[in-house]
Amino acid sequence: MPGATAQVTPLELTEKLMEAATARGAEVIIGEVEEMVMTEEGKGAEGGRRVYGLRLKGREVIPVDKLILTMGVWTSVYAEDWFGMTLPMDGIKSTSVVFSNCEAVKSEPYACFCDEDVNGCHLEIYPRPNGEVYLCGIGGSDYVRGDRLRAGGDCAGAEDVKEDEKRVAAAVRSFSGLSASLGGRQPDIVQACMRPCPPDGLPYMGTVPDIENAYISAGHNCWGILWAPISGLCMSELVCDGESSTVDLSAFRPDRYMKRQKKRGRKQGEKSVGEQW
């Protein structure tokens, strides 16, 4: 590929980031949260509420200094259930497929974007330097929200997000007309993802209202991998320094869909000018 062109493989990137973090002393714990333990109102260090522990299934409470909810679309229901927030977000469940061992694409892994076809696909074709060919844009996406994302719902966890077999078949039909070498094969991997999409298309990045040590970073749609480095930098500045100096996060406030409480009194700018009755 030309020197100005790059391609990121999501699994490879996330695994390398985890390896780098653990090499610097981080611990990765994979578990199911059963309970979030919080102080009562006014019992936090600054007079608000504070998260001081997470209870994982089969484990004792893990102490919490800072909590960041960054769970994709599932952030919406946990923010509502745990913090009483209004955090609207759709999970767009989309099927994708991967063909492996494609030697011909290793030297020229150029992407191809197709118009919608008779199978309802608008294929996006991504050959990879490791010999894989990844296909998305298969159509037939399912919009998921609310109780479908909670315990007992059909999309309660990442393991429940399954591919649509009809869309897999449609993708194979569409791809058969484009690739002589791969067209007659079945894909080696069939899968589905859940893209987290707020109504305005902007991610949620910032503090949780009235909780002293809780933050949210979620809702990046299909740009999560691309925006991950800058999002991580901004959130680290917010958590460690109290504000992001790299990017103004005001447009991404997690509370932007919540009704603001009206308070008595009058102000000229930020200056109080007395009680208003």
Side-chain angles (χ1 to χ4, degrees):
M1 290 188 291
T5 302
Q7 185 179 136
V8 175
T9 303
L11 178 62
E12 183 179 0
L13 174 65
T14 51
E15 287 180 340
K16 293 301 181 183
L17 289 173
M18 289 173 62
E19 289 176 9
T22 54
R24 288 163 173 78
E27 181 183 3
V28 177
I29 300 174
I30 299 176
E32 179 181 345
V33 177
E34 290 188 323
E35 181 185 6
M36 184 180 62
V37 187
M38 299 184 64
T39 61
E40 296 178 3
E41 188 74 35
K43 296 295 182 66
E46 301 174 11
R49 299 165 68 200
R50 185 177 183 86
V51 182
Y52 68 86
L54 288 177
R55 189 185 306 279
L56 299 187
K57 189 175 183 178
R59 296 176 61 101
E60 297 180 353
V61 173
I62 299 175
V64 169
D65 181 36
K66 306 284 188 179
L67 176 70
I68 305 175
L69 297 187
T70 178
M71 303 181 293
V73 68
W74 290 276
T75 304
S76 62
V77 292
Y78 282 101
E80 179 180 347
D81 295 347
W82 288 350
F83 302 126
M85 291 186 66
T86 300
L87 201 78
M89 188 161 23
D90 283 334
I92 303 180
K93 186 174 70 157
S94 302
T95 298
S96 59
V97 302
V98 178
F99 294 88
S100 301
N101 302 316
C102 310
E103 292 295 323
V105 307
K106 287 185 176 181
S107 60
E108 296 187 12
Y110 295 110
C112 178
F113 302 89
C114 306
D115 288 335
E116 186 163 350
D117 60 26
V118 296
N119 298 308
C121 298
H122 46 91
L123 291 183
E124 297 181 17
I125 305 170
Y126 298 93
R128 293 171 174 168
N130 64 356
E132 293 180 341
V133 178
Y134 168 80
L135 270 62
C136 62
I138 292 174
S141 296
D142 182 14
Y143 286 68
V144 182
R145 63 174 73 114
D147 287 342
R148 292 183 65 188
L149 300 166
R150 292 184 169 91
D154 64 307
C155 293
E159 66 280 1
D160 301 313
V161 180
K162 305 296 186 182
E163 69 279 357
D164 182 335
E165 294 181 359
K166 292 182 179 179
R167 299 319 304 165
V168 172
V172 171
R173 289 196 300 271
S174 295
F175 195 46
S176 294
L178 298 174
S179 172
S181 61
L182 298 176
R185 286 176 47 182
Q186 290 298 310
D188 297 281
I189 300 173
V190 294
Q191 59 193 4
C193 68
M194 187 83 84
R195 291 180 282 126
C197 299
D200 58 6
L202 299 177
Y204 296 108
M205 297 172 62
T207 57
V208 174
D210 303 320
I211 308 296
E212 295 177 3
N213 62 334
Y215 307 82
I216 287 174
S217 180
H220 293 68
N221 198 337
C222 56
W223 307 110
I225 292 295
L226 181 66
W227 292 348
I230 187 62
S231 296
L233 175 60
C234 293
M235 292 303 298
S236 67
E237 292 173 343
L238 178 62
V239 170
C240 297
D241 304 330
E243 64 178 347
S244 170
S245 57
T246 301
V247 173
D248 180 359
L249 297 180
S250 58
F252 312 117
R253 291 192 341 266
D255 66 347
R256 62 183 183 267
Y257 288 101
M258 297 177 65
K259 292 182 179 180
R260 303 202 175 184
Q261 292 184 346
K262 295 182 179 180
K263 297 181 180 180
R264 291 184 304 178
R266 295 177 298 166
K267 284 190 175 182
Q268 294 177 348
E270 293 300 315
K271 181 180 178 181
S272 178
V273 294
E275 190 75 12
Q276 177 175 301
W277 297 92

